[in-house]
């Protein structure tokens, strides 16, 4: 099967990590994957290219681009994929238009976000384009239900496939969270974007640090919010205890040095970082967002609090840091994470692609009487 995944970039991020891992899995299984980047490639592109997976970059500029559609059509006609798999809303309309002109038989969209409320125009465009896709995949039951109620997508075309990771990268490292309470390490993984709300996390840690003077906050990720985070940390007198590691590919190594994973986002679909943290054996303190308890069961591996309230998040972080059973919780998290291997995620996508293929649809159609 020839599969093209359409993304904006292959910068370090959860969506991009999933696209790479799916392509690698497809390659292992004997399929022919390709990756199309509408903007630029990114650090993760190296991993795909090293595995012999083609990465095509189109260099789209700001604003609507008819040129991008023409470029995609030419490339698709040359590659002749069986499936065009688009990721998120910003590439879907280009994918739908190009696929129709290039006669790609199947188009699937994966919606990674839990909502598009922040950009009503984008939500309007996505909802209309999503109806033209053969299927739309959501990260959780809650996310699917949220969009079904406002997008006009049919129940038949809406699927839930949980994200998956390469578990072997994370499960082989010994981890004893809470082993040194005097030097407790909180941490998170994610791009430094406003939606991740690292500023609120920094403010929460400032409260925590008064009670745990030997603690640290570690953040793996890069982005435009870095100066603001640094400014807030400095103004709160904790600049030397908030460590921004920048972008990094060794997520497993980073997680292995933490005691507690903290998620502070305003919105999420199904964060890859959450699954990675569980696979690494970390307990989780998180804001409560739709779909997250489906992945990280509440009061088993994760404890939740309302979003956007640094004082409440700080209270939860302190409560978790003072527990004596963090290592036991971490082992439970590892067991839960076994359900989210990339092999299972790809198996479900493959079943969906095959179900939607014209050959399968032809076989499913009832024969006319007398034939």
């Amino acid at each position: 099967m020839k599969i093209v995944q359409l993304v904006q970039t292959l910068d370090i991020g959860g969506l991009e990590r999933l696209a790479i891992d799916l392509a690698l899995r497809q390659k292992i299984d004997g399929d022919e994957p390709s990756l199309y980047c509408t903007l630029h490639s990114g650090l993760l592109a190296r991993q795909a290219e090293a595995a012999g997976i083609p990465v095509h970059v189109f260099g789209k500029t700001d604003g609507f681009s008819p040129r991008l559609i023409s470029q995609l059509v030419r490339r698709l006609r040359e590659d002749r994929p069986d499936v065009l798999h688009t990721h998120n809303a910003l590439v879907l309309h280009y994918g739908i238009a190009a696929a129709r002109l290039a006669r790609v038989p199947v188009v699937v969209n994966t919606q990674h976000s839990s909502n598009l409320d922040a950009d009503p125009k984008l939500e309007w465009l996505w909802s209309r384009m999503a109806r033209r896709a053969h299927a739309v995949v959501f990260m959780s039951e809650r996310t699917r239900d949220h969009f079904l109620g406002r997008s006009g997508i049919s129940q038949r075309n809406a699927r839930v496939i949980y994200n998956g990771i390469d578990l072997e990268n994370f499960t082989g490292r010994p981890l004893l969270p809470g082993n040194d309470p005097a030097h407790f390490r909180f941490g998170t993984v994610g791009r430094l974007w406003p939606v991740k709300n690292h500023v609120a996390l920094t403010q929460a840690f400032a409260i925590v640090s008064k009670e745990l003077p030997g603690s640290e906050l570690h953040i793996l990720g890069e982005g435009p919010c870095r100066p603001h985070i640094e400014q807030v940390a400095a103004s709160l007198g904790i600049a030397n205890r908030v460590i921004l590691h920048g972008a990094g590919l060794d997520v497993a190594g980073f997680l292995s040095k933490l005691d507690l994973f903290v998620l502070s986002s305003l919105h999420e679909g199904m964060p890859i970082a959450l699954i990675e943290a569980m696979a690494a054996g970390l307990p989780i303190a998180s804001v409560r967002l739709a779909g997250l308890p489906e992945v990280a069961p509440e009061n088993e591996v994760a404890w939740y609090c309302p979003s956007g309230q640094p004082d409440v998040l700080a209270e939860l972080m302190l409560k978790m840091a003072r527990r004596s059973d963090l290592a036991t919780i971490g082992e439970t998290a590892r067991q839960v994470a076994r359900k989210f291997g990339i092999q299972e995620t790809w198996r479900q996508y493959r079943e969906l692609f095959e179900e939607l293929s014209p050959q399968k649809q032809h076989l499913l159609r009832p024969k006319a009487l007398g034939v």
Side-chain angles (χ1 to χ4, degrees):
M1 187 184 303
K2 290 185 176 181
I3 305 123
V4 168
Q5 293 186 79
L6 181 63
V7 298
Q8 284 191 291
T9 76
L10 288 172
D11 289 329
I12 295 175
L15 177 162
E16 296 80 6
R17 179 73 266 167
L18 177 68
I20 290 289
D21 285 347
L22 281 174
L24 292 172
R25 197 68 238 172
Q26 292 158 1
K27 181 81 172 180
I28 290 170
D29 286 356
D31 297 297
E32 298 181 49
S34 298
L35 292 154
Y36 291 5
C37 302
T38 61
L39 301 181
H40 59 265
S41 57
L43 286 175
L44 292 177
R46 301 173 189 172
Q47 190 173 357
E49 291 168 338
I53 298 170
V55 176
H56 300 286
V57 179
F58 297 93
K60 177 187 174 296
T61 56
D62 291 343
F64 178 70
S65 175
R67 179 172 174 267
L68 175 60
I69 297 175
S70 299
Q71 290 174 307
L72 288 172
V73 169
R74 286 195 296 270
R75 187 75 249 175
L76 288 169
R77 284 175 175 166
E78 184 171 339
D79 290 341
R80 301 179 65 186
D82 301 293
V83 178
L84 177 63
H85 181 189
T86 65
H87 291 270
N88 264 354
L90 288 168
V91 302
L92 177 58
H93 51 296
Y94 291 109
I96 290 289
R100 288 201 171 186
L101 291 169
R103 297 189 177 182
V104 178
V106 175
V107 180
V108 172
N109 178 242
T110 295
Q111 177 55 35
H112 293 261
S113 175
S114 59
N115 64 62
L116 297 170
D117 294 344
D119 191 338
K121 290 183 179 179
L122 181 60
E123 181 174 15
W124 178 88
L125 178 61
W126 174 83
S127 66
R128 277 146 185 79
M129 292 297 104
R131 298 172 202 170
R132 292 167 170 79
H134 295 89
V136 180
V137 175
F138 298 99
M139 302 290 97
S140 69
E141 302 284 349
R142 289 283 301 275
T143 303
R144 180 197 60 188
D145 294 345
H146 170 84
F147 280 108
L148 280 181
R150 54 196 295 165
S151 66
I153 300 170
S154 71
Q155 184 85 27
R156 181 174 58 86
N157 290 343
R159 307 297 176 93
V160 174
I161 300 177
Y162 292 124
N163 285 343
I165 64 170
D166 187 345
L167 293 170
E168 293 181 3
N169 288 339
F170 298 88
T171 55
R173 297 173 185 254
L175 194 64
L176 291 173
N179 190 46
D180 186 3
H183 299 92
F184 200 90
R185 289 182 154 205
F186 301 90
T188 195
V189 178
R191 294 175 180 173
L192 307 186
W193 287 2
V195 71
K196 300 296 184 180
N197 210 14
H198 291 114
V199 169
L201 176 57
T202 303
Q203 293 167 335
F205 177 70
I207 299 171
V208 169
S209 65
K210 295 175 183 177
E211 300 290 330
L212 301 175
S215 61
E216 296 175 342
L217 173 62
H218 294 261
I219 302 175
L220 182 68
E222 194 54 83
C225 291
R226 184 185 185 108
H228 191 197
I229 296 167
E230 292 174 331
Q231 179 186 16
V232 170
S235 69
L236 294 172
I238 54 171
N240 63 327
R241 294 165 63 189
V242 176
I243 297 91
L244 303 180
H245 293 259
L249 294 174
D250 187 13
V251 178
F254 172 81
L255 293 173
S256 70
K257 297 178 175 64
L258 302 182
D259 296 292
L260 181 70
F261 185 84
V262 187
L263 191 70
S264 56
S265 302
L266 297 172
H267 303 293
E268 288 284 0
M270 181 185 171
I272 292 285
L274 188 70
I275 304 171
E276 291 173 338
M278 291 194 300
L282 284 172
I284 294 160
S286 174
V287 296
R288 185 182 299 280
L289 299 173
L292 296 193
E294 289 182 40
V295 180
E298 187 167 9
N299 299 329
E300 293 182 33
V301 303
W303 278 255
Y304 296 97
C305 68
S307 178
Q309 301 181 38
D311 55 334
V312 179
L313 179 58
E315 182 180 347
L316 177 60
M317 291 165 67
L318 279 170
K319 180 180 178 181
M320 294 295 294
R322 289 168 174 157
R323 294 185 67 127
S324 60
D325 60 346
L326 293 181
T328 301
I329 295 170
E331 282 304 312
T332 302
R334 273 188 164 151
Q335 297 301 316
V336 172
R338 289 182 179 179
K339 298 186 297 184
F340 302 105
I342 191 63
Q343 294 91 333
E344 174 61 17
T345 299
W346 168 229
R347 183 190 68 79
Q348 293 184 46
Y349 271 109
R350 173 183 276 282
E351 286 185 356
L352 175 61
F353 295 165
E354 291 176 345
E355 175 188 331
L356 296 172
S357 70
Q359 293 86 350
K360 183 65 174 287
Q361 292 298 313
H362 175 73
L363 292 173
L364 290 175
R365 293 189 190 103
K367 293 183 178 181
L369 293 175
V371 176

